[in-house]
Amino acid sequence: LEAAGHHDVDGLILTGYLHQPNATQQVTIAAGLHPAADDPAFAGVGLPDGYVTTKPGTRAADFYYLPGADQAAIARDERTKATGTSGERATMGLARNPSYSQHIIVPVLLIVGDHDSLSCDDGALPCRTAALICARERMFYPPGGRLAAAVIPDAGHSIHGHRTAPVELAVANAWVRTVTSGRSAYWPGC
């Protein structure tokens, strides 16, 4: 929303955030939320109604591709999880509205894990290749806009908790170097 409305960034990297979410997984994740005041991690903090968090033990299945995940990262994610609010949840889809992304005039890099169950499935929402991501997303951005995609192997939604996280970091850094050098025309796009 900021990039579309203020035009004050040189480029935008969207990680794990595509326009068409996997509705089935969204329902699963919603079912795995509970009031943060009921969670042992936030007991006694005095959080008011409306604050939510993931139920203990649900983050691994919801956000990770277990064969590619680092178990220590999952455990740390569970220990350091945060809260959200019902208001945030109600407006999360706002940025997926194409009336915003159609106004992004800077280069955009879309990055997803090849097993990101929040954005992908093996049916109507494929994510196995950058070309598939481009085919899904191109219509949501301005014609001629500089859009590129990358798929990180053996990774779920929380890419940095997977053993292939260095691939994502290398791709993002290379893209930033290219875009900020003025050579973005040389980055393979959609």
Side-chain angles (χ1 to χ4, degrees):
L1 297 175
E2 196 280 337
H6 296 281
H7 305 291
D8 59 354
V9 297
D10 296 321
L12 180 64
I13 298 175
L14 298 174
T15 305
Y17 199 80
L18 303 178
H19 280 83
Q20 300 166 307
N22 180 343
T24 302
Q25 185 64 7
Q26 298 290 322
V27 169
T28 299
I29 289 171
L33 297 176
H34 69 157
D38 295 346
D39 195 283
F42 303 102
V45 176
L47 292 172
D49 289 343
Y51 280 82
V52 297
T53 193
T54 54
K55 292 177 183 174
T58 60
R59 298 183 70 77
D62 288 348
F63 303 115
Y64 293 88
Y65 172 60
L66 296 178
D70 180 317
Q71 295 304 311
I74 294 173
R76 181 182 178 101
D77 187 12
E78 187 68 42
R79 284 190 317 273
T80 61
K81 68 182 178 180
T83 62
T85 66
S86 54
E88 287 173 309
R89 289 197 79 279
T91 59
M92 282 184 75
L94 187 59
R96 287 190 168 103
N97 184 328
S99 65
Y100 292 105
S101 55
Q102 285 288 326
H103 296 283
I104 296 174
I105 58 173
V106 296
V108 175
L109 174 61
L110 305 170
I111 302 177
V112 296
D114 64 348
H115 294 279
D116 183 338
S117 63
L118 274 75
S119 297
C120 312
D121 66 25
D122 289 330
L125 303 172
C127 289
R128 296 286 182 195
T129 67
L132 290 169
I133 299 300
C134 289
R136 284 180 55 187
E137 289 290 307
R138 177 76 258 170
M139 68 181 153
F140 297 111
Y141 292 90
R146 295 169 288 174
L147 183 66
V151 178
I152 307 307
D154 299 321
H157 183 72
S158 295
I159 294 171
H160 291 160
H162 292 82
R163 289 183 290 279
T164 55
V167 174
E168 187 273 341
L169 296 171
V171 167
N173 284 322
W175 183 84
V176 166
R177 282 191 303 274
T178 301
V179 167
T180 59
S181 71
R183 297 185 321 243
S184 60
Y186 300 108
W187 188 270
C190 294

